[in-house]
Amino acid sequence: YQKQDLCFYGEVSALICVDSADNLTVKQIAAPEIPIGHDGDSIVVLSIARNLNQLQEIVSAEPMRNWDNVTLWEETDPGYTPAKAGRVRSARFMLFNTYESIPYEVQYLTECEELVFFSNSNSFIHDLDLGEHVCKLTNLKRLTVSSYGLSSLPDELANLKNLEWLDVSGNNFASVPSVLTPENFPKLHALYLNTCQRSYILDLSNNVSRNLGGLKGGFPRELLEWENLDTLRLSVNFIEGEMPDMLDYPVKYTEQDCIEMNLPKALVGTPKVLPKAKYFAFNLNRMYGKLPDWVLYHPNLVE
């Protein structure tokens, strides 16, 4: 290298020996902008894995098509267009160690439909936010950020109007994040909000632990009014109290509903709660009292 032209991109890790009479200038400049496209996607995936300190390394010498954590768009995929050829359709990042939000590079995966971030080391000690960058991926349909150490979700998450599946289980929420409403996510049908509990091990010799609680404030009734949900998981959250009977819920089954949906007439006049639900889990909480009729007479109870 010519001394006057010496540049470094990213982190500098070098020992340079020069004569005392030499003049050496070191400049750190921004890395080149990440291009949007197939080549840019590969840089993004590698950068995210590096910034998360992911345990499993990606063999970057292999073509991206052969990477275990990535699926690329194919011509046979629903919604395929020529612009999506070779772009990342889904990416998974698992078993990592970070104290930060999701890396900013994620915003360049503009054609991605599914993202998975799972299992941050010691996630129960963190108070992290999702960050704004993933909220720019308006094509996302499935998002999993599980056991990451999140204690909040940003309002910008509501930009993901195409989201159909959201898994934020295993995090450190003290209540249901306010952004999670049917108005913000009109296409969402599956919500995983289970195992949002936090505990510390006080004595490793006998595994004495202290639970610091999970979702507080009683059963989150607002989620029961989300009519489009067919999957709702609220297990292992330390939720305390009775299941709402929803008798004051204005939406009720009518005789016409029972005729059109071939339902028993006993449903007429009962609250129409989670009518599309086929998977509803609230086990391993601190519930008491009777199961309400909207559960016992739910049209999909057998399923």
Side-chain angles (χ1 to χ4, degrees):
Y1 298 100
Q2 297 294 324
K3 289 192 293 294
Q4 65 270 25
D5 296 328
L6 188 61
C7 294
F8 298 96
Y9 291 95
E11 298 178 359
V12 178
S13 180
L15 177 64
I16 304 173
C17 300
V18 295
D19 188 89
S20 59
D22 289 341
N23 293 320
L24 178 65
T25 300
V26 177
K27 296 180 180 179
Q28 182 174 350
I29 62 176
E33 185 175 349
I34 297 176
I36 301 296
H38 173 81
D39 294 338
D41 283 2
S42 62
I43 296 173
V44 167
V45 172
L46 290 172
S47 298
I48 293 174
R50 179 195 64 193
N51 291 337
L52 290 175
N53 296 308
Q54 183 173 259
L55 181 62
Q56 182 179 4
E57 293 187 8
I58 300 173
V59 183
S60 58
E62 289 283 334
M64 183 167 58
R65 185 174 301 277
N66 296 338
W67 295 356
D68 292 337
N69 68 322
V70 167
T71 301
L72 305 185
W73 278 95
E74 304 285 353
E75 291 186 15
T76 55
D77 293 329
Y80 172 86
T81 64
K84 298 178 181 179
R87 299 290 307 276
V88 169
R89 187 184 184 195
S90 69
R92 298 168 299 281
F93 303 92
M94 306 175 72
L95 302 177
F96 45 82
N97 181 22
T98 184
Y99 291 82
E100 305 291 339
S101 302
I102 294 177
Y104 81 93
E105 291 94 341
V106 72
Q107 65 186 306
Y108 298 109
L109 296 176
T110 54
E111 298 296 344
C112 192
E113 283 192 337
E114 180 179 15
L115 277 173
V116 175
F117 297 89
F118 175 71
S119 191
N120 188 12
S121 296
N122 298 319
S123 61
F124 63 91
I125 69 173
H126 296 305
D127 285 292
L128 302 178
D129 185 75
L130 184 67
E132 61 179 332
H133 304 295
V134 72
C135 302
K136 299 177 182 179
L137 300 178
T138 55
N139 289 323
L140 269 184
K141 293 184 177 180
R142 298 167 65 94
L143 175 62
T144 296
V145 188
S146 181
S147 299
Y148 194 96
L150 300 178
S151 60
S152 63
L153 294 177
D155 292 340
E156 291 82 1
L157 190 65
N159 296 333
L160 306 183
K161 299 300 184 186
N162 290 313
L163 208 61
E164 300 175 2
W165 170 293
L166 179 61
D167 182 349
V168 286
S169 60
N171 285 295
N172 300 327
F173 305 119
S175 60
V176 176
S178 60
V179 70
L180 297 180
T181 67
E183 293 76 20
N184 287 336
F185 302 98
K187 297 184 179 180
L188 195 74
H189 66 83
L191 177 59
Y192 288 72
L193 197 59
N194 54 291
T195 324
C196 292
Q197 59 177 334
R198 166 177 268 182
S199 62
Y200 287 123
I201 303 298
L202 303 179
D203 188 343
L204 291 177
S205 65
N206 57 14
N207 197 28
V208 175
S209 63
R210 174 180 297 167
N211 293 320
L212 300 183
L215 301 183
K216 299 177 181 178
F219 199 93
R221 172 179 168 140
E222 64 271 23
L223 297 181
L224 300 180
E225 299 180 7
W226 201 324
E227 294 186 15
N228 286 334
L229 292 182
D230 60 31
T231 301
L232 177 60
R233 297 196 64 172
L234 295 171
S235 307
V236 201
N237 280 319
F238 295 142
I239 298 173
E240 297 185 10
E242 295 186 73
M243 179 77 70
D245 58 27
M246 304 297 284
L247 292 177
D248 60 343
Y249 189 47
V251 183
K252 301 183 185 300
Y253 286 100
T254 65
E255 189 172 348
Q256 188 63 29
D257 289 333
C258 295
I259 294 174
E260 292 178 356
M261 303 169 64
N262 194 27
L263 300 175
K265 290 185 178 181
L267 282 175
V268 175
T270 61
K272 195 175 182 179
V273 180
L274 296 176
K276 299 179 180 179
K278 295 188 177 180
Y279 192 105
F280 175 44
F282 54 94
N283 56 306
L284 295 176
N285 283 291
R286 294 171 174 172
M287 308 295 297
Y288 54 82
K290 296 180 179 180
L291 283 173
D293 286 347
W294 70 263
V295 174
L296 297 176
Y297 295 101
H298 195 283
N300 296 328
L301 183 63
V302 174
E303 295 187 50

